[in-house]
Amino acid sequence: MTQAEATSRTGKRVLLAKPRGYCAGVDRAVQTVEEALKLYGAPIYVRKQIVHNKHVVQTLEAQGAIFVEENEEVPEGATVIFSAHGVAPEVYEQARARSLKAIDATCPLVTKVHHEAKRFAAEDYDILLIGHEGHEEVIGTAGEAPAHIQLVDGPDDADKITVRDPAKVVWLSQTTLSVDETLETVARLKQRLPLLQSPPSDDICYATSNRQHVVKEIAPECDVVIVVGSTNSSNSVRLVEVALDAGARAGHLVDFAHEIDDAWLVDARTVGVTSGASVPDDLVQDVLAYLAERGFGDVEEITTANERLTFSLPQELKRDMKAAAAARG
């Protein structure tokens, strides 16, 4: 019996979301660590996880990257890379104080939000930062203008906000939030603050929006949606929530194929598969192979957007790579 015949007999299929996996900012951050290891040699220190993915971190550790929580753990004069999520200005100052060679792998879309925060603070606005308390990106953005920024962690937080001048207030957001929940939070804020201004351009990044949009497309047809991603990855966790809100009967987050519980598949006919923005696609292929072994061999890729954006490597790294290439001759 062919695979197609087996599929038609079992009725089992996979709807594979596209876009999924690596976004331009993650690709740039991972490449930054890889190129730094090649150029400067191991060890290279990385403050926080370069991206929120267990597999990526383990792979880079095997190549000689050492992940630390704070600059104090980095030997004086060593090279340190700041993660894709961005850092507060004080982190740069700490690095200078320890004579560290700092390479900034912050996603340019996060940097954009930092610039917005600085600009509105300079104009003496109250800034309402929509995001998750304790997330590295939120800590970094809030650090740009701590006296002006208040965190709004979801719609219910909107009722607790106080501002100096209701006519001079703006909202910004973490780049990896649920689009729908953010809009709900903004709506709640506007009930209390009708003159609330919006950021000049959308803060939620294109990749987060795109991955949520395609999941909304496939979720109503899915008995279960499997999202490949780590539990500390905000955008991956959001994808499970979006799938459930959009009509999937069940949704689960896994780092690796072996974490799938076969009980999830018992009565399933259609399984949706996607991955967070910090997930390499070979992990998704492992999930597809796992599902195929259990009768889900018919894979239909559902595409709602084609992503072509790329970001160049950090300037300080590119400069050193160019100098090394010139020295080689």
Side-chain angles (χ1 to χ4, degrees), residues 197-219:
Q197 293 185 39
S198 300
S201 60
D202 199 349
D203 283 348
I204 294 179
C205 91
Y206 76 96
T208 298
S209 302
N210 287 348
R211 279 149 192 70
Q212 290 177 19
H213 179 66
V214 67
V215 164
K216 284 184 192 175
E217 289 288 311
I218 66 173

Short mmCIF file of all heavy atoms in Angstrom, two decimals, residues 197-219:
data_model
loop_
_atom_site.label_atom_id
_atom_site.label_comp_id
_atom_site.label_asym_id
_atom_site.label_seq_id
_atom_site.Cartn_x
_atom_site.Cartn_y
_atom_site.Cartn_z
N GLN A 197 -1.76 57.88 22.28
CA GLN A 197 -1.16 57.80 20.94
C GLN A 197 -0.57 56.41 20.70
O GLN A 197 -0.18 55.71 21.63
CB GLN A 197 -0.07 58.85 20.80
CG GLN A 197 -0.61 60.27 20.82
CD GLN A 197 0.49 61.28 20.54
OE1 GLN A 197 1.37 61.07 19.71
NE2 GLN A 197 0.44 62.40 21.24
N SER A 198 -0.49 56.03 19.43
CA SER A 198 0.09 54.75 19.02
C SER A 198 1.52 54.95 18.54
O SER A 198 1.89 56.06 18.16
CB SER A 198 -0.74 54.14 17.88
OG SER A 198 -2.07 53.93 18.31
N PRO A 199 2.33 53.89 18.54
CA PRO A 199 3.69 54.03 17.99
C PRO A 199 3.64 54.40 16.52
O PRO A 199 2.65 54.09 15.83
CB PRO A 199 4.30 52.64 18.20
CG PRO A 199 3.16 51.71 18.44
CD PRO A 199 2.05 52.53 19.00
N PRO A 200 4.69 55.05 16.02
CA PRO A 200 4.71 55.49 14.62
C PRO A 200 4.51 54.33 13.64
O PRO A 200 3.93 54.49 12.58
CB PRO A 200 6.09 56.11 14.45
CG PRO A 200 6.59 56.36 15.83
CD PRO A 200 5.91 55.41 16.74
N SER A 201 5.02 53.15 13.99
CA SER A 201 4.77 51.95 13.18
C SER A 201 4.61 50.79 14.15
O SER A 201 5.03 50.87 15.30
CB SER A 201 5.91 51.68 12.20
OG SER A 201 7.12 51.48 12.91
N ASP A 202 4.00 49.72 13.68
CA ASP A 202 3.65 48.60 14.55
C ASP A 202 4.88 48.05 15.27
O ASP A 202 5.90 47.78 14.65
CB ASP A 202 3.00 47.50 13.69
CG ASP A 202 2.20 46.51 14.53
OD1 ASP A 202 2.32 46.57 15.76
OD2 ASP A 202 1.48 45.70 13.95
N ASP A 203 4.78 47.89 16.60
CA ASP A 203 5.91 47.36 17.35
C ASP A 203 5.98 45.83 17.30
O ASP A 203 7.07 45.25 17.41
CB ASP A 203 5.83 47.79 18.83
CG ASP A 203 6.26 49.24 19.03
OD1 ASP A 203 6.82 49.83 18.09
OD2 ASP A 203 6.03 49.77 20.13
N ILE A 204 4.83 45.17 17.20
CA ILE A 204 4.86 43.71 17.12
C ILE A 204 5.50 43.33 15.78
O ILE A 204 5.09 43.81 14.73
CB ILE A 204 3.45 43.11 17.25
CG1 ILE A 204 2.93 43.38 18.67
CG2 ILE A 204 3.46 41.61 16.98
CD1 ILE A 204 1.54 42.88 18.93
N CYS A 205 6.52 42.49 15.82
CA CYS A 205 7.33 42.30 14.63
C CYS A 205 6.59 41.49 13.57
O CYS A 205 5.67 40.73 13.86
CB CYS A 205 8.67 41.66 14.99
SG CYS A 205 8.71 39.87 14.96
N TYR A 206 7.00 41.70 12.32
CA TYR A 206 6.36 41.06 11.17
C TYR A 206 6.32 39.54 11.35
O TYR A 206 5.33 38.88 10.99
CB TYR A 206 7.13 41.42 9.88
CG TYR A 206 8.42 40.64 9.74
CD1 TYR A 206 8.47 39.47 8.99
CD2 TYR A 206 9.58 41.01 10.44
CE1 TYR A 206 9.63 38.73 8.91
CE2 TYR A 206 10.72 40.26 10.38
CZ TYR A 206 10.75 39.13 9.61
OH TYR A 206 11.89 38.36 9.56
N ALA A 207 7.39 38.96 11.89
CA ALA A 207 7.48 37.51 12.01
C ALA A 207 6.48 36.97 13.01
O ALA A 207 5.83 35.95 12.79
CB ALA A 207 8.90 37.10 12.40
N THR A 208 6.33 37.68 14.14
CA THR A 208 5.35 37.28 15.15
C THR A 208 3.95 37.33 14.55
O THR A 208 3.16 36.38 14.68
CB THR A 208 5.44 38.22 16.37
OG1 THR A 208 6.75 38.10 16.95
CG2 THR A 208 4.40 37.87 17.41
N SER A 209 3.63 38.44 13.87
CA SER A 209 2.30 38.59 13.25
C SER A 209 2.06 37.50 12.21
O SER A 209 0.99 36.88 12.18
CB SER A 209 2.18 39.96 12.58
OG SER A 209 2.39 40.99 13.51
N ASN A 210 3.04 37.27 11.35
CA ASN A 210 2.89 36.28 10.27
C ASN A 210 2.66 34.88 10.82
O ASN A 210 1.83 34.12 10.30
CB ASN A 210 4.12 36.27 9.37
CG ASN A 210 4.19 37.50 8.47
OD1 ASN A 210 3.23 38.26 8.36
ND2 ASN A 210 5.34 37.71 7.85
N ARG A 211 3.43 34.51 11.85
CA ARG A 211 3.30 33.15 12.41
C ARG A 211 1.94 32.97 13.09
O ARG A 211 1.35 31.90 13.03
CB ARG A 211 4.48 32.87 13.37
CG ARG A 211 5.74 32.46 12.61
CD ARG A 211 7.03 32.88 13.29
NE ARG A 211 8.17 32.71 12.37
CZ ARG A 211 8.38 33.46 11.28
NH1 ARG A 211 7.54 34.42 10.96
NH2 ARG A 211 9.42 33.24 10.50
N GLN A 212 1.46 34.01 13.72
CA GLN A 212 0.13 33.93 14.35
C GLN A 212 -0.97 33.87 13.29
O GLN A 212 -1.95 33.13 13.44
CB GLN A 212 -0.08 35.13 15.28
CG GLN A 212 0.78 35.06 16.53
CD GLN A 212 0.63 36.28 17.44
OE1 GLN A 212 -0.34 37.03 17.33
NE2 GLN A 212 1.59 36.48 18.32
N HIS A 213 -0.79 34.62 12.22
CA HIS A 213 -1.82 34.66 11.18
C HIS A 213 -2.02 33.29 10.53
O HIS A 213 -3.16 32.84 10.34
CB HIS A 213 -1.45 35.70 10.11
CG HIS A 213 -2.44 35.80 8.99
ND1 HIS A 213 -3.73 36.25 9.18
CD2 HIS A 213 -2.34 35.47 7.68
CE1 HIS A 213 -4.38 36.20 8.02
NE2 HIS A 213 -3.57 35.73 7.10
N VAL A 214 -0.94 32.62 10.18
CA VAL A 214 -1.09 31.31 9.51
C VAL A 214 -1.65 30.27 10.48
O VAL A 214 -2.43 29.39 10.08
CB VAL A 214 0.23 30.86 8.84
CG1 VAL A 214 1.32 30.56 9.86
CG2 VAL A 214 -0.01 29.64 7.94
N VAL A 215 -1.30 30.37 11.77
CA VAL A 215 -1.88 29.45 12.75
C VAL A 215 -3.39 29.65 12.85
O VAL A 215 -4.16 28.69 12.96
CB VAL A 215 -1.18 29.62 14.12
CG1 VAL A 215 -1.99 28.97 15.24
CG2 VAL A 215 0.21 28.99 14.07
N LYS A 216 -3.82 30.91 12.79
CA LYS A 216 -5.28 31.18 12.80
C LYS A 216 -5.96 30.53 11.60
O LYS A 216 -7.11 30.09 11.69
CB LYS A 216 -5.53 32.69 12.77
CG LYS A 216 -5.30 33.40 14.07
CD LYS A 216 -5.68 34.86 13.90
CE LYS A 216 -5.20 35.70 15.05
NZ LYS A 216 -5.46 37.12 14.84
N GLU A 217 -5.26 30.50 10.48
CA GLU A 217 -5.83 29.90 9.25
C GLU A 217 -6.04 28.39 9.41
O GLU A 217 -7.06 27.86 9.00
CB GLU A 217 -4.90 30.16 8.06
CG GLU A 217 -4.86 31.59 7.59
CD GLU A 217 -6.12 32.00 6.86
OE1 GLU A 217 -6.56 31.26 5.95
OE2 GLU A 217 -6.68 33.05 7.21
N ILE A 218 -5.04 27.71 10.00
CA ILE A 218 -5.13 26.25 10.04
C ILE A 218 -5.85 25.72 11.28
O ILE A 218 -6.42 24.62 11.25
CB ILE A 218 -3.72 25.60 9.95
CG1 ILE A 218 -2.85 25.91 11.18
CG2 ILE A 218 -3.02 26.00 8.66
CD1 ILE A 218 -1.52 25.15 11.21
N ALA A 219 -5.86 26.49 12.36
CA ALA A 219 -6.35 25.98 13.65
C ALA A 219 -7.77 25.42 13.61
O ALA A 219 -8.04 24.36 14.20
CB ALA A 219 -6.23 27.06 14.72
#
